[in-house]
Amino acid sequence: MRKFLKVISFVFQPLLMPTFGVLFLLCTNLMLFYNESWKWIALSGTFIFTALLPAMPIIMMMRSGQIKDLYISKREQRTFPYLFALLAYVFWTFFMWQVLNMPFFIVAMGIGSILSIVIITLINTKWKISAHLSGIGGLTGGVFSYSYVMGINPVWLFVSMFLLSGLTALSRIELKAHTPGQTLAGFTLGFIMVFVPGALINFSIL
């Protein structure tokens, strides 16, 4: 069971959530008119900006012995990786806007992700909020925001996202990485900060 929970923690880590989000987008009707080259650039660019680049300081800290694991168990050691991730997400959002010419409600979700990292960094100075749940909460918020903007209601997708979020929360709690309150706070923050910007952009257009 513990090995299964570790796999869940690894697969649904925050570094991979934007890539999963773009994979979801590429499977939607919104992306039907984009060619394959554009899709590969969108996916690989997202992975580079939101997974590879934010992982660099973590790997460097692991090699130097400053931290013991990929998830940075000690709250005090998370500030620098968070700030590095913040910068990477700024470039990613600019990449979606200026290079990919994504619809602005998608770019707004990227901006929401940036704000989420800012808030998490500030909270982390006093309290260990769950980045895992913030990440999957953001992905869930993105799915809900997209569905709201496009006027669709994929109930089973919503249910699946909440189940995966619950499973991720369970893994972090059972592995003694976070308390239930820290996971709930992380999910709520991530969901709100990604869902609201996309929904507000659509509302302002209407």
PDB file of all heavy atoms in Angstrom, residues 71-82 120-129 177-178 182:
ATOM      1  N   TYR A  71      10.456  16.057  -2.866  1.00  0.00           N
ATOM      2  CA  TYR A  71       9.304  16.835  -2.412  1.00  0.00           C
ATOM      3  C   TYR A  71       9.649  17.886  -1.354  1.00  0.00           C
ATOM      4  O   TYR A  71       8.777  18.631  -0.916  1.00  0.00           O
ATOM      5  CB  TYR A  71       8.220  15.895  -1.867  1.00  0.00           C
ATOM      6  CG  TYR A  71       7.896  14.767  -2.810  1.00  0.00           C
ATOM      7  CD1 TYR A  71       7.908  13.449  -2.392  1.00  0.00           C
ATOM      8  CD2 TYR A  71       7.606  15.022  -4.146  1.00  0.00           C
ATOM      9  CE1 TYR A  71       7.616  12.402  -3.264  1.00  0.00           C
ATOM     10  CE2 TYR A  71       7.319  13.990  -5.030  1.00  0.00           C
ATOM     11  CZ  TYR A  71       7.331  12.685  -4.580  1.00  0.00           C
ATOM     12  OH  TYR A  71       7.047  11.668  -5.447  1.00  0.00           O
ATOM     13  N   ILE A  72      10.901  17.942  -0.934  1.00  0.00           N
ATOM     14  CA  ILE A  72      11.394  18.932   0.038  1.00  0.00           C
ATOM     15  C   ILE A  72      10.509  18.930   1.285  1.00  0.00           C
ATOM     16  O   ILE A  72       9.671  19.809   1.486  1.00  0.00           O
ATOM     17  CB  ILE A  72      11.463  20.357  -0.556  1.00  0.00           C
ATOM     18  CG1 ILE A  72      12.030  20.330  -1.971  1.00  0.00           C
ATOM     19  CG2 ILE A  72      12.313  21.252   0.316  1.00  0.00           C
ATOM     20  CD1 ILE A  72      12.092  21.686  -2.645  1.00  0.00           C
ATOM     21  N   SER A  73      10.724  17.950   2.123  1.00  0.00           N
ATOM     22  CA  SER A  73       9.874  17.740   3.290  1.00  0.00           C
ATOM     23  C   SER A  73       9.886  18.908   4.271  1.00  0.00           C
ATOM     24  O   SER A  73       8.871  19.217   4.894  1.00  0.00           O
ATOM     25  CB  SER A  73      10.299  16.456   4.007  1.00  0.00           C
ATOM     26  OG  SER A  73      10.158  15.339   3.137  1.00  0.00           O
ATOM     27  N   LYS A  74      11.038  19.567   4.415  1.00  0.00           N
ATOM     28  CA  LYS A  74      11.138  20.660   5.379  1.00  0.00           C
ATOM     29  C   LYS A  74      10.659  21.974   4.757  1.00  0.00           C
ATOM     30  O   LYS A  74      11.131  22.400   3.710  1.00  0.00           O
ATOM     31  CB  LYS A  74      12.584  20.809   5.867  1.00  0.00           C
ATOM     32  CG  LYS A  74      13.066  19.631   6.700  1.00  0.00           C
ATOM     33  CD  LYS A  74      14.464  19.888   7.247  1.00  0.00           C
ATOM     34  CE  LYS A  74      14.927  18.725   8.124  1.00  0.00           C
ATOM     35  NZ  LYS A  74      16.287  18.954   8.665  1.00  0.00           N
ATOM     36  N   ARG A  75       9.693  22.597   5.428  1.00  0.00           N
ATOM     37  CA  ARG A  75       9.097  23.834   4.933  1.00  0.00           C
ATOM     38  C   ARG A  75      10.131  24.919   4.660  1.00  0.00           C
ATOM     39  O   ARG A  75      10.052  25.637   3.652  1.00  0.00           O
ATOM     40  CB  ARG A  75       8.067  24.334   5.962  1.00  0.00           C
ATOM     41  CG  ARG A  75       7.504  25.713   5.674  1.00  0.00           C
ATOM     42  CD  ARG A  75       6.510  26.120   6.745  1.00  0.00           C
ATOM     43  NE  ARG A  75       7.091  26.131   8.073  1.00  0.00           N
ATOM     44  CZ  ARG A  75       7.835  27.143   8.555  1.00  0.00           C
ATOM     45  NH1 ARG A  75       8.068  28.206   7.783  1.00  0.00           N
ATOM     46  NH2 ARG A  75       8.317  27.108   9.774  1.00  0.00           N
ATOM     47  N   GLU A  76      11.113  25.054   5.532  1.00  0.00           N
ATOM     48  CA  GLU A  76      12.088  26.131   5.442  1.00  0.00           C
ATOM     49  C   GLU A  76      12.949  26.049   4.180  1.00  0.00           C
ATOM     50  O   GLU A  76      13.541  27.043   3.756  1.00  0.00           O
ATOM     51  CB  GLU A  76      13.001  26.127   6.671  1.00  0.00           C
ATOM     52  CG  GLU A  76      12.298  26.391   7.987  1.00  0.00           C
ATOM     53  CD  GLU A  76      11.590  25.148   8.527  1.00  0.00           C
ATOM     54  OE1 GLU A  76      11.729  24.062   7.921  1.00  0.00           O
ATOM     55  OE2 GLU A  76      10.904  25.258   9.573  1.00  0.00           O
ATOM     56  N   GLN A  77      13.022  24.859   3.574  1.00  0.00           N
ATOM     57  CA  GLN A  77      13.881  24.667   2.402  1.00  0.00           C
ATOM     58  C   GLN A  77      13.138  24.874   1.083  1.00  0.00           C
ATOM     59  O   GLN A  77      13.734  24.753   0.010  1.00  0.00           O
ATOM     60  CB  GLN A  77      14.477  23.253   2.437  1.00  0.00           C
ATOM     61  CG  GLN A  77      15.368  23.001   3.644  1.00  0.00           C
ATOM     62  CD  GLN A  77      15.768  21.534   3.764  1.00  0.00           C
ATOM     63  OE1 GLN A  77      15.008  20.643   3.384  1.00  0.00           O
ATOM     64  NE2 GLN A  77      16.969  21.293   4.267  1.00  0.00           N
ATOM     65  N   ARG A  78      11.881  25.225   1.146  1.00  0.00           N
ATOM     66  CA  ARG A  78      11.068  25.312  -0.068  1.00  0.00           C
ATOM     67  C   ARG A  78      11.082  26.678  -0.746  1.00  0.00           C
ATOM     68  O   ARG A  78      10.697  26.801  -1.904  1.00  0.00           O
ATOM     69  CB  ARG A  78       9.615  24.936   0.249  1.00  0.00           C
ATOM     70  CG  ARG A  78       9.414  23.485   0.628  1.00  0.00           C
ATOM     71  CD  ARG A  78       7.952  23.153   0.832  1.00  0.00           C
ATOM     72  NE  ARG A  78       7.748  21.717   0.956  1.00  0.00           N
ATOM     73  CZ  ARG A  78       6.577  21.114   0.888  1.00  0.00           C
ATOM     74  NH1 ARG A  78       5.482  21.845   0.710  1.00  0.00           N
ATOM     75  NH2 ARG A  78       6.478  19.806   0.994  1.00  0.00           N
ATOM     76  N   THR A  79      11.519  27.717  -0.060  1.00  0.00           N
ATOM     77  CA  THR A  79      11.383  29.076  -0.586  1.00  0.00           C
ATOM     78  C   THR A  79      12.109  29.276  -1.911  1.00  0.00           C
ATOM     79  O   THR A  79      11.533  29.776  -2.886  1.00  0.00           O
ATOM     80  CB  THR A  79      11.883  30.104   0.444  1.00  0.00           C
ATOM     81  OG1 THR A  79      11.136  29.969   1.646  1.00  0.00           O
ATOM     82  CG2 THR A  79      11.700  31.515  -0.104  1.00  0.00           C
ATOM     83  N   PHE A  80      13.385  28.890  -1.981  1.00  0.00           N
ATOM     84  CA  PHE A  80      14.145  29.099  -3.218  1.00  0.00           C
ATOM     85  C   PHE A  80      13.554  28.331  -4.393  1.00  0.00           C
ATOM     86  O   PHE A  80      13.356  28.908  -5.477  1.00  0.00           O
ATOM     87  CB  PHE A  80      15.615  28.724  -3.016  1.00  0.00           C
ATOM     88  CG  PHE A  80      16.434  28.820  -4.276  1.00  0.00           C
ATOM     89  CD1 PHE A  80      16.640  30.034  -4.900  1.00  0.00           C
ATOM     90  CD2 PHE A  80      16.975  27.669  -4.852  1.00  0.00           C
ATOM     91  CE1 PHE A  80      17.381  30.122  -6.076  1.00  0.00           C
ATOM     92  CE2 PHE A  80      17.708  27.739  -6.023  1.00  0.00           C
ATOM     93  CZ  PHE A  80      17.913  28.968  -6.636  1.00  0.00           C
ATOM     94  N   PRO A  81      13.223  27.034  -4.246  1.00  0.00           N
ATOM     95  CA  PRO A  81      12.573  26.334  -5.361  1.00  0.00           C
ATOM     96  C   PRO A  81      11.246  26.961  -5.779  1.00  0.00           C
ATOM     97  O   PRO A  81      10.926  27.007  -6.965  1.00  0.00           O
ATOM     98  CB  PRO A  81      12.370  24.913  -4.814  1.00  0.00           C
ATOM     99  CG  PRO A  81      13.455  24.749  -3.805  1.00  0.00           C
ATOM    100  CD  PRO A  81      13.565  26.100  -3.164  1.00  0.00           C
ATOM    101  N   TYR A  82      10.491  27.461  -4.804  1.00  0.00           N
ATOM    102  CA  TYR A  82       9.229  28.121  -5.141  1.00  0.00           C
ATOM    103  C   TYR A  82       9.470  29.379  -5.974  1.00  0.00           C
ATOM    104  O   TYR A  82       8.772  29.644  -6.948  1.00  0.00           O
ATOM    105  CB  TYR A  82       8.473  28.490  -3.863  1.00  0.00           C
ATOM    106  CG  TYR A  82       7.704  27.351  -3.222  1.00  0.00           C
ATOM    107  CD1 TYR A  82       7.202  27.471  -1.927  1.00  0.00           C
ATOM    108  CD2 TYR A  82       7.462  26.164  -3.897  1.00  0.00           C
ATOM    109  CE1 TYR A  82       6.492  26.435  -1.321  1.00  0.00           C
ATOM    110  CE2 TYR A  82       6.752  25.136  -3.301  1.00  0.00           C
ATOM    111  CZ  TYR A  82       6.274  25.278  -2.011  1.00  0.00           C
ATOM    112  OH  TYR A  82       5.561  24.252  -1.428  1.00  0.00           O
ATOM    113  N   ILE A 120       1.398  30.652  -2.124  1.00  0.00           N
ATOM    114  CA  ILE A 120       1.977  29.482  -1.469  1.00  0.00           C
ATOM    115  C   ILE A 120       3.329  29.827  -0.854  1.00  0.00           C
ATOM    116  O   ILE A 120       3.643  29.416   0.266  1.00  0.00           O
ATOM    117  CB  ILE A 120       2.133  28.320  -2.472  1.00  0.00           C
ATOM    118  CG1 ILE A 120       0.776  27.709  -2.777  1.00  0.00           C
ATOM    119  CG2 ILE A 120       3.064  27.237  -1.929  1.00  0.00           C
ATOM    120  CD1 ILE A 120       0.815  26.656  -3.867  1.00  0.00           C
ATOM    121  N   THR A 121       4.132  30.591  -1.580  1.00  0.00           N
ATOM    122  CA  THR A 121       5.450  30.993  -1.072  1.00  0.00           C
ATOM    123  C   THR A 121       5.315  31.810   0.200  1.00  0.00           C
ATOM    124  O   THR A 121       6.072  31.616   1.162  1.00  0.00           O
ATOM    125  CB  THR A 121       6.214  31.797  -2.144  1.00  0.00           C
ATOM    126  OG1 THR A 121       6.317  31.015  -3.344  1.00  0.00           O
ATOM    127  CG2 THR A 121       7.617  32.139  -1.663  1.00  0.00           C
ATOM    128  N   LEU A 122       4.349  32.724   0.213  1.00  0.00           N
ATOM    129  CA  LEU A 122       4.136  33.557   1.398  1.00  0.00           C
ATOM    130  C   LEU A 122       3.622  32.714   2.569  1.00  0.00           C
ATOM    131  O   LEU A 122       4.098  32.854   3.708  1.00  0.00           O
ATOM    132  CB  LEU A 122       3.147  34.680   1.078  1.00  0.00           C
ATOM    133  CG  LEU A 122       3.633  35.733   0.071  1.00  0.00           C
ATOM    134  CD1 LEU A 122       2.514  36.700  -0.276  1.00  0.00           C
ATOM    135  CD2 LEU A 122       4.840  36.489   0.631  1.00  0.00           C
ATOM    136  N   ILE A 123       2.658  31.843   2.293  1.00  0.00           N
ATOM    137  CA  ILE A 123       2.118  30.982   3.356  1.00  0.00           C
ATOM    138  C   ILE A 123       3.213  30.075   3.914  1.00  0.00           C
ATOM    139  O   ILE A 123       3.285  29.827   5.125  1.00  0.00           O
ATOM    140  CB  ILE A 123       0.944  30.140   2.820  1.00  0.00           C
ATOM    141  CG1 ILE A 123      -0.253  31.048   2.498  1.00  0.00           C
ATOM    142  CG2 ILE A 123       0.535  29.061   3.837  1.00  0.00           C
ATOM    143  CD1 ILE A 123      -1.417  30.320   1.851  1.00  0.00           C
ATOM    144  N   ASN A 124       4.072  29.600   3.024  1.00  0.00           N
ATOM    145  CA  ASN A 124       5.113  28.653   3.421  1.00  0.00           C
ATOM    146  C   ASN A 124       6.096  29.226   4.435  1.00  0.00           C
ATOM    147  O   ASN A 124       6.767  28.479   5.145  1.00  0.00           O
ATOM    148  CB  ASN A 124       5.872  28.179   2.172  1.00  0.00           C
ATOM    149  CG  ASN A 124       6.897  27.119   2.479  1.00  0.00           C
ATOM    150  OD1 ASN A 124       6.563  25.989   2.800  1.00  0.00           O
ATOM    151  ND2 ASN A 124       8.174  27.491   2.395  1.00  0.00           N
ATOM    152  N   THR A 125       6.187  30.530   4.514  1.00  0.00           N
ATOM    153  CA  THR A 125       7.093  31.134   5.500  1.00  0.00           C
ATOM    154  C   THR A 125       6.608  30.884   6.924  1.00  0.00           C
ATOM    155  O   THR A 125       7.395  30.958   7.868  1.00  0.00           O
ATOM    156  CB  THR A 125       7.234  32.648   5.266  1.00  0.00           C
ATOM    157  OG1 THR A 125       5.950  33.278   5.410  1.00  0.00           O
ATOM    158  CG2 THR A 125       7.794  32.941   3.877  1.00  0.00           C
ATOM    159  N   LYS A 126       5.315  30.575   7.055  1.00  0.00           N
ATOM    160  CA  LYS A 126       4.751  30.354   8.390  1.00  0.00           C
ATOM    161  C   LYS A 126       4.116  28.975   8.566  1.00  0.00           C
ATOM    162  O   LYS A 126       4.022  28.481   9.686  1.00  0.00           O
ATOM    163  CB  LYS A 126       3.674  31.414   8.673  1.00  0.00           C
ATOM    164  CG  LYS A 126       4.184  32.849   8.647  1.00  0.00           C
ATOM    165  CD  LYS A 126       5.170  33.119   9.789  1.00  0.00           C
ATOM    166  CE  LYS A 126       5.592  34.578   9.784  1.00  0.00           C
ATOM    167  NZ  LYS A 126       6.578  34.866  10.865  1.00  0.00           N
ATOM    168  N   TRP A 127       3.711  28.366   7.442  1.00  0.00           N
ATOM    169  CA  TRP A 127       2.906  27.136   7.535  1.00  0.00           C
ATOM    170  C   TRP A 127       3.153  26.292   6.306  1.00  0.00           C
ATOM    171  O   TRP A 127       3.288  26.814   5.194  1.00  0.00           O
ATOM    172  CB  TRP A 127       1.432  27.520   7.637  1.00  0.00           C
ATOM    173  CG  TRP A 127       0.494  26.411   8.015  1.00  0.00           C
ATOM    174  CD1 TRP A 127       0.551  25.628   9.122  1.00  0.00           C
ATOM    175  CD2 TRP A 127      -0.660  25.986   7.282  1.00  0.00           C
ATOM    176  NE1 TRP A 127      -0.502  24.738   9.139  1.00  0.00           N
ATOM    177  CE2 TRP A 127      -1.261  24.944   8.015  1.00  0.00           C
ATOM    178  CE3 TRP A 127      -1.251  26.389   6.082  1.00  0.00           C
ATOM    179  CZ2 TRP A 127      -2.410  24.282   7.599  1.00  0.00           C
ATOM    180  CZ3 TRP A 127      -2.402  25.748   5.659  1.00  0.00           C
ATOM    181  CH2 TRP A 127      -2.967  24.712   6.418  1.00  0.00           C
ATOM    182  N   LYS A 128       3.185  24.986   6.478  1.00  0.00           N
ATOM    183  CA  LYS A 128       3.510  24.068   5.382  1.00  0.00           C
ATOM    184  C   LYS A 128       2.253  23.646   4.629  1.00  0.00           C
ATOM    185  O   LYS A 128       1.646  22.633   4.907  1.00  0.00           O
ATOM    186  CB  LYS A 128       4.236  22.833   5.935  1.00  0.00           C
ATOM    187  CG  LYS A 128       4.777  21.903   4.859  1.00  0.00           C
ATOM    188  CD  LYS A 128       5.406  20.682   5.511  1.00  0.00           C
ATOM    189  CE  LYS A 128       5.861  19.663   4.485  1.00  0.00           C
ATOM    190  NZ  LYS A 128       6.358  18.423   5.114  1.00  0.00           N
ATOM    191  N   ILE A 129       1.873  24.423   3.638  1.00  0.00           N
ATOM    192  CA  ILE A 129       0.721  24.099   2.803  1.00  0.00           C
ATOM    193  C   ILE A 129       1.134  23.077   1.744  1.00  0.00           C
ATOM    194  O   ILE A 129       2.304  23.026   1.342  1.00  0.00           O
ATOM    195  CB  ILE A 129       0.157  25.387   2.156  1.00  0.00           C
ATOM    196  CG1 ILE A 129      -1.202  25.109   1.493  1.00  0.00           C
ATOM    197  CG2 ILE A 129       1.154  25.994   1.188  1.00  0.00           C
ATOM    198  CD1 ILE A 129      -1.909  26.372   1.029  1.00  0.00           C
ATOM    199  N   ALA A 177       3.459  13.458   5.058  1.00  0.00           N
ATOM    200  CA  ALA A 177       4.013  14.671   4.465  1.00  0.00           C
ATOM    201  C   ALA A 177       3.185  15.896   4.829  1.00  0.00           C
ATOM    202  O   ALA A 177       3.721  17.007   4.921  1.00  0.00           O
ATOM    203  CB  ALA A 177       4.084  14.526   2.942  1.00  0.00           C
ATOM    204  N   HIS A 178       1.877  15.705   5.033  1.00  0.00           N
ATOM    205  CA  HIS A 178       0.987  16.822   5.336  1.00  0.00           C
ATOM    206  C   HIS A 178      -0.151  16.369   6.241  1.00  0.00           C
ATOM    207  O   HIS A 178      -0.461  15.177   6.325  1.00  0.00           O
ATOM    208  CB  HIS A 178       0.399  17.414   4.049  1.00  0.00           C
ATOM    209  CG  HIS A 178       1.383  18.157   3.215  1.00  0.00           C
ATOM    210  ND1 HIS A 178       1.866  19.395   3.556  1.00  0.00           N
ATOM    211  CD2 HIS A 178       1.992  17.825   2.051  1.00  0.00           C
ATOM    212  CE1 HIS A 178       2.721  19.805   2.637  1.00  0.00           C
ATOM    213  NE2 HIS A 178       2.811  18.873   1.718  1.00  0.00           N
ATOM    214  N   GLN A 182      -3.669  20.883   5.741  1.00  0.00           N
ATOM    215  CA  GLN A 182      -2.703  21.397   4.764  1.00  0.00           C
ATOM    216  C   GLN A 182      -3.067  20.967   3.350  1.00  0.00           C
ATOM    217  O   GLN A 182      -2.879  21.732   2.395  1.00  0.00           O
ATOM    218  CB  GLN A 182      -1.306  20.923   5.132  1.00  0.00           C
ATOM    219  CG  GLN A 182      -0.757  21.576   6.388  1.00  0.00           C
ATOM    220  CD  GLN A 182       0.478  20.881   6.932  1.00  0.00           C
ATOM    221  OE1 GLN A 182       0.830  19.766   6.522  1.00  0.00           O
ATOM    222  NE2 GLN A 182       1.158  21.524   7.873  1.00  0.00           N
TER     223      GLN A 182
END
